[in-house]
Amino acid sequence: MSPLATSLALALVLAGAIWWLSGALLALLYPLLRTRITRLAAGSRCHLLSALAALPLLFAVAATVLLHLPATRGLGVAAHCHEGIGCGAHAPVVSGGALSLLLPLLAVAMLAAGLLRILPPLRRQGRRARQLLALSQRDDSRDCAIIESDSVFALTVGLLRPQVVLSRALLEQLEPRQGAAVLLHEKAHARRRDSLRQWLAALAAPRLLSGAGRPLQRDLHAACEQACDQEAALALGDRLDVADALLTAEGRLPTPDQKAPATGESHLHDRIAALIAPPQPERLPLPLLVIGVTALALGAALVGLDTLHHSAERVQEWVRVQP
């Protein structure tokens, strides 16, 4: 194995370990942040929760890059000596021994696990979208696809190019203004690419922490729904019309034993309450949020760089590999 390949394998394994540990920390801290986050307006809450979900992965990448780049590794790693190498800040390296054989195997296993995690859901999403669109007919007047079905449902399908799909029963059983509210809600999902947002947030969370991370993912889902309710209400000019459409559509949903898609969502009570309550004024500009989260991740990575560096070296010493 070439030194470059071994170094890349070490970087990947380090990034995976940092990702998992920082995800565990986020899962522990999130309940303490949750009360303050829920006070934000739905759109701002959506952006913040998306950024928080991505933070472990961002931190892992930032820490690994800072630890290995010649231009940055001296910023956080104190100069120190190793017998036969000399002194000076440097990135962890592997120079033979058992670890040089184990690291590539671990890296390949991690890459395979990542692909197995990403590809099957992606294929299922694509297959579902193709099946629904194949059963539908385009309605240019409504800018959506319509399926001739007796079940009441409204869906946004597709990740990169989302499209709205409605059932004929929904249009026939709801009043025109209620149907317009549902359609506007789904169009907001498509415009915001909420399916892609939630899929990426789920991928960014370490798999083994999916249970501990579910409150954040549930809150992100609820925030997306409420943000789309708010956009539909703004377009219609009446928040109560959207609340009425939600309640009416919920009453038309299939019973649980019917295997049909549905517009009904969990958090319906919270969605109605958010529509009836006065609009929340808090706003968190997205550019400022992205800059703040990135600075936080880079700062934390820089502060912990020396500890990460020496931890990697101790692992190598444990398997008797001199850096």
Side-chain angles (χ1 to χ4, degrees), residues 117-314:
R117 184 180 177 188
I118 293 171
L119 294 180
L122 190 61
R123 293 175 65 180
R124 286 195 297 270
Q125 288 266 5
R127 183 168 60 248
R128 177 172 178 255
R130 288 192 299 271
Q131 289 172 345
L132 287 171
L133 292 174
L135 295 171
S136 67
Q137 292 183 344
R138 185 71 188 172
D139 187 332
D140 292 329
S141 63
R142 293 187 175 91
D143 191 23
C144 68
I146 297 178
I147 293 180
E148 300 294 335
S149 173
D150 294 333
S151 299
V152 175
F153 61 87
L155 303 167
T156 302
V157 298
L159 294 177
L160 298 178
R161 293 182 293 177
Q163 299 186 56
V164 176
V165 178
L166 306 180
S167 69
R168 180 68 64 184
L170 181 139
L171 298 174
E172 292 177 349
Q173 296 183 30
L174 268 62
E175 297 293 329
R177 197 161 177 82
Q178 295 171 342
V182 173
L183 179 58
L184 287 168
H185 173 94
E186 294 301 327
K187 284 183 176 180
H189 275 310
R191 184 188 63 78
R192 292 161 44 87
R193 287 179 168 77
D194 282 331
S195 296
L196 180 62
R197 178 200 302 269
Q198 294 180 63
W199 183 71
L200 291 175
L203 286 180
R207 185 67 174 177
L208 295 178
L209 300 174
S210 57
R214 280 175 187 161
L216 191 153
Q217 294 180 25
R218 285 198 300 268
D219 288 348
L220 176 58
H221 173 76
C224 289
E225 294 299 326
Q226 291 180 24
C228 292
D229 290 341
Q230 303 291 345
E231 290 198 18
L234 184 63
L236 280 179
D238 194 332
R239 301 162 70 86
L240 295 181
D241 279 346
V242 178
D244 180 55
L246 289 175
L247 291 171
T248 304
E250 179 75 10
R252 301 287 198 277
L253 292 176
T255 56
D257 58 323
Q258 290 179 274
K259 304 300 183 182
T263 56
E265 307 284 351
S266 56
H267 314 292
L268 181 63
H269 178 272
D270 291 338
R271 292 171 64 185
I272 299 296
L275 285 166
I276 295 174
Q280 294 169 292
E282 296 96 338
R283 295 187 62 82
L284 201 59
L286 182 58
L288 180 61
L289 171 66
V290 172
I291 293 172
V293 170
T294 303
L296 176 63
L298 292 176
L302 191 60
V303 169
L305 207 53
D306 192 70
T307 301
L308 291 171
H309 177 94
H310 287 89
S311 297
E313 290 177 339
R314 278 192 287 271

